[in-house]
Amino acid sequence: MSEISRSARIGVLMGGLSAERQVSLKSGKAVLAALQERGWDAVAIDVQRDLPQQLLAEGVEVAWIALHGQFGEDGCVQGLLELMGIPYTGSGVLGSATAMDKITTKRLVADNPHVRLPQDRVWRVGDALPEDLVFPLVAKFPEGGSTLGLAICEDPAALQAALLELGELGGQVLLEQFVQGEEITVAVLDGHPFPPVGIRPDEGFFDYEAKYTKGKTVYDVPAKVSDATSQAARRSALEVYRTLGLRGVARADYIVDADGVPWFLEINTLPGMTATSLSPMAASLEGLSFADLVEAILLGARLEKVPGAGGL
């Protein structure tokens, strides 16, 4: 049972400073409308570098975080809210930062028998290209989101071109085994994994354009996979969620191969939140409306740190 007062001022944090700003604005506006529909005193906060002043000026008492990408999904805003003593939705500082880094996430769950991982190598700027790579492979910026900073490389020439671009985003690139198969996603809310949703782009893979262009992707709600595959994916998503210490809603992405095995790719701690986003689709399979989901996430808002605890 939440201790959030019905009279609390809710700030919906949206926009932000990342490359996913426009997506975040869509999520934030949808969340704001849902909260207001349910009678909450909610206000939009378009996150800029003066966020503390914005929160104080609006009298925000609880933050509903609808940010995506860097400076929002990576623990930065969560840390600020901890310092300000403002409860917030979603995962805490450490869980957010860990899940944002695909390399760290994979290393933490590598020994879990319920999480099947594609093989990978890490390339760092200035390194020579490994000689034993198998193509095709996937090159990823480890801290990217919304499939930004990702390339499927068919040969060494394509990889070299991708590394030139991805290397400018950060110091290292994840080179991952390409798994042929169908894409599914599993949303987890407060430790409960929903049935998977299937993702079928009309061409290529589920990239930024396919995600956010109407008509570019067909969604199967639920995914057209066997019961065994569904259960394996839900178990895997829950194991990752628990290992990383996540809370609120998170969404794990998978490729299901020809044998029905779900291969874990990544987990998003602040997934898209419009009425047509994947997590609300998944929640609808168990009778939760978009507003139900938004409100459930709100009621889980809290702080991780207790002021003064742990001191000498």
Side-chain angles (χ1 to χ4, degrees):
M1 181 66 68
S2 172
E3 297 179 359
I4 298 174
S5 168
R6 285 294 310 189
S7 62
R9 180 80 154 169
I10 313 299
V12 181
L13 277 54
M14 64 181 81
L17 307 173
S18 81
E20 299 171 64
R21 172 178 170 79
Q22 294 304 316
V23 180
S24 172
L25 288 171
K26 291 180 180 179
S27 289
K29 290 174 182 177
V31 168
L32 179 66
L35 290 174
Q36 291 175 338
E37 171 192 320
R38 289 292 174 92
W40 291 93
D41 177 16
V43 61
I45 304 291
D46 186 347
V47 173
Q48 304 295 328
R49 292 194 181 276
D50 63 345
L51 178 57
Q53 291 88 340
Q54 292 176 280
L55 295 170
L56 292 172
E58 290 290 351
V60 171
E61 298 170 273
V62 180
W64 206 114
I65 305 179
L67 297 166
H68 304 312
Q70 290 181 313
F71 302 111
E73 198 165 357
D74 56 4
C76 290
V77 164
Q78 291 79 4
L80 173 63
L81 293 169
E82 291 282 350
L83 283 171
M84 296 184 70
I86 298 175
Y88 56 92
T89 58
S91 296
V93 177
L94 182 58
S96 298
T98 302
M100 186 72 178
D101 187 328
K102 297 178 181 66
I103 296 172
T104 301
T105 296
K106 291 188 70 172
R107 299 302 180 261
L108 286 174
V109 300
D111 294 330
N112 192 308
H114 300 288
V115 183
R116 189 71 172 269
L117 298 171
Q119 295 181 353
D120 70 74
R121 302 281 292 274
V122 176
W123 175 85
R124 294 174 176 81
V125 173
D127 286 356
L129 204 61
E131 296 181 355
D132 56 348
L133 295 175
V134 177
F135 292 89
L137 58 76
V138 183
K140 300 178 179 179
F141 174 53
E143 298 178 14
S146 285
T147 58
L148 297 170
L150 181 150
I152 297 178
C153 304
E154 298 289 343
D155 52 46
L159 176 57
Q160 289 283 13
L163 292 178
L164 283 175
E165 181 176 346
L166 296 176
E168 294 180 357
L169 299 176
Q172 53 189 7
V173 176
L174 181 65
L175 306 179
E176 197 169 68
Q177 170 193 358
F178 177 79
V179 179
Q180 183 70 46
E182 302 295 324
E183 299 178 62
I184 66 170
T185 192
V186 179
V188 182
L189 175 64
D190 295 329
H192 173 73
F194 292 115
V197 170
I199 302 165
R200 291 189 287 124
D202 61 356
E203 60 182 26
F205 68 104
F206 193 47
D207 60 9
Y208 189 89
E209 182 180 2
K211 280 186 178 182
Y212 301 115
T213 303
K214 187 176 182 180
K216 285 282 188 179
T217 301
V218 173
Y219 301 101
D220 297 321
V221 188
K224 295 178 180 179
V225 296
S226 69
D227 288 344
T229 297
S230 176
Q231 290 302 318
R234 294 174 76 175
R235 175 66 183 270
S236 173
L238 181 57
E239 293 287 337
V240 176
Y241 184 97
R242 287 175 170 169
T243 299
L244 272 58
L246 306 184
R247 67 177 206 244
V249 70
R251 200 197 73 233
D253 297 336
Y254 293 85
I255 296 290
V256 178
D257 67 18
D259 295 323
V261 176
W263 294 73
F264 172 73
L265 302 178
E266 64 178 289
I267 191 164
N268 304 280
T269 56
L270 290 175
M273 280 296 296
T274 68
T276 56
S277 294
L278 292 163
S279 296
M281 285 183 197
S284 73
L285 291 167
E286 295 194 355
L288 289 179
S289 69
F290 179 72
D292 289 336
L293 179 60
V294 168
E295 195 167 40
I297 293 169
L298 172 65
L299 296 178
R302 62 182 176 86
L303 290 165
E304 282 195 328
K305 307 292 185 183
V306 178
L312 295 176

